[in-house]
Amino acid sequence: MKADNKLMNMLSKLGVIVLAFGLITACTPQQGEKTADLVYVNWAEGIAYTNLAKVVLEDKMGYEVEITSADVGPAYTAIAQGDADAFMETWLPVLHADYYEQFEDDIVDLGTVYEGTQSGLVVPTYVDIDSISQLNSVRDQFDGEITGIDAGAGIMKTTNNLIEEYNLDFDLIQSSGPAMTSALQRAIDDEEWIVVTGWKPHWKFGRWDLKFLKQDEDKMLWETGNIHIMGRQDLSIEKPELANFLANMELSDPELADLMVAINESDEDNEVVARQWMEENEDVIEEWIPADAQQADM
């Protein structure tokens, strides 16, 4: 009988030790990893899929997530200095080429989230010119202005280079993504001519009939490309699960267009719409979650 009691005591102590070890290994390190600090630019596609990433990480993987809007330059600086985990929107090989060259030794490319980007000067299809080289001949109908976005954006730098390359008698007007689309809306409502800095993917191509002005073959400043997610250099070591999730993120053109239109046309908060989209597209987001990730509802 005494031998049985002794065995029971030993098993009990062993159970306590195993339980304590399990709690330590299950909680302490993983809780430290279950945070994500994501930076995005205030562009429609970045707003859409960054909010989607937030709700997937929170609802499906149990993360605490902070997302921050920033201009392009400060966003690169934030991950290069380790102040944020990832910058969600790097356009390569052209638009952000200068930034990438400046910071590439201090950041890590986690892969593409969208393939097939296009940038350039965009007009409504009722504008009866088709190329950038025609702009000067109809300058007055555009009031000599190109409506741009925030000053730090790569497309603004390229457009300034383009104005010199084509010797355009136009001023590039700084605004923001939302201000640019509002100007486009007003012009189209009144069937006025307008030329804006534009890029694809963007919900405006689903809302209105628009076209890119063609570049001359000997003056090609914009090329097609992809959107990458960049991480801070030690992200894969300190938060491998988050790094794997971000590397797995991928949206096709129809998927991203559907998400962007849903967000743009809703009066609900972006996060609410992203969560609704997630619930209606479980087959898409399931592919992003690492196989060994701890599910939030488990």
Side-chain angles (χ1 to χ4, degrees):
M1 191 65 176
K2 287 182 178 180
D4 289 345
N5 288 339
K6 186 175 183 179
L7 177 61
M8 291 299 293
N9 287 336
M10 290 178 61
L11 290 174
S12 178
K13 290 177 180 177
L14 180 60
V16 170
I17 293 171
V18 170
L19 177 60
F21 179 78
L23 288 173
I24 292 171
T25 56
C27 295
T28 305
Q30 290 187 1
Q31 284 178 354
E33 297 169 355
K34 293 286 188 180
T35 61
D37 188 347
L38 310 177
V39 183
Y40 66 100
V41 180
N42 193 32
W43 298 343
E45 69 284 348
I47 293 171
Y49 68 73
T50 303
N51 274 276
L52 180 60
K54 181 177 189 292
V55 297
V56 174
L57 284 165
E58 290 178 341
D59 292 7
K60 302 293 185 181
M61 297 171 64
Y63 275 66
E64 294 180 7
V65 183
E66 181 176 352
I67 62 174
T68 305
S69 173
D71 285 343
V72 176
Y76 273 98
T77 301
I79 55 169
Q81 295 181 345
D83 296 330
D85 290 322
F87 176 31
M88 300 296 285
E89 187 158 6
T90 296
W91 287 50
L92 294 175
V94 179
L95 193 60
H96 290 173
D98 291 345
Y99 289 109
Y100 184 67
E101 183 178 355
Q102 179 181 351
F103 293 104
E104 65 178 329
D105 292 339
D106 300 313
I107 60 179
V108 174
D109 188 350
L110 298 174
T112 57
V113 65
Y114 174 88
E115 296 183 351
T117 60
Q118 186 175 0
S119 301
L121 297 186
V122 173
V123 297
T125 53
Y126 59 74
V127 171
D128 58 7
I129 63 169
D130 295 313
S131 67
I132 294 170
S133 59
Q134 293 176 281
L135 279 170
N136 277 341
S137 65
V138 288
R139 178 186 183 281
D140 291 345
Q141 290 177 263
F142 291 110
D143 292 329
E145 294 183 348
I146 299 170
T147 302
I149 54 174
D150 53 287
I155 196 171
M156 295 291 279
K157 295 180 179 178
T158 307
T159 302
N160 276 318
N161 293 337
L162 178 135
I163 288 173
E164 291 186 13
E165 185 71 19
Y166 284 78
N167 195 28
L168 296 180
D169 187 17
F170 277 71
D171 295 321
L172 177 58
I173 307 302
Q174 176 186 338
S175 63
S176 66
M180 178 270 290
T181 52
S182 294
L184 194 56
Q185 171 79 75
R186 292 192 298 273
I188 291 174
D189 287 346
D190 296 334
E191 294 190 7
E192 294 178 347
W193 285 30
I194 186 172
V195 55
V196 304
T197 54
W199 63 93
K200 201 173 184 178
H202 195 286
W203 58 263
K204 63 179 178 286
F205 286 93
R207 172 70 65 81
W208 302 298
D209 292 327
L210 303 171
K211 60 183 178 184
F212 283 97
L213 292 178
K214 297 176 183 176
Q215 302 175 78
D216 294 351
E217 290 187 2
D218 60 341
K219 297 176 182 176
M220 300 288 287
L221 275 73
W222 281 298
E223 301 174 8
T224 57
N226 304 315
I227 303 176
H228 298 239
I229 296 176
M230 294 289 167
R232 60 183 169 88
Q233 202 166 49
D234 54 0
L235 182 64
S236 295
I237 297 173
E238 295 188 0
K239 299 181 180 180
E241 185 180 271
L242 175 61
N244 287 337
F245 168 79
L246 294 172
N248 291 341
M249 280 189 68
E250 184 177 11
L251 287 163
S252 67
D253 189 61
E255 289 165 352
L256 184 51
D258 188 50
L259 173 62
M260 292 166 67
V261 170
I263 286 179
N264 186 64
E265 294 186 348
S266 176
D267 294 328
E268 298 279 3
D269 183 82
N270 293 334
E271 187 174 325
V272 172
V273 182
R275 181 168 284 107
Q276 292 170 343
W277 196 93
M278 175 187 72
E279 293 170 351
E280 295 168 357
N281 294 273
E282 293 279 357
D283 57 326
V284 175
I285 60 95
E286 282 178 1
E287 300 293 326
W288 304 351
I289 300 173
D292 56 350
Q294 181 182 1
Q295 300 292 300
D297 55 356
M298 290 180 64

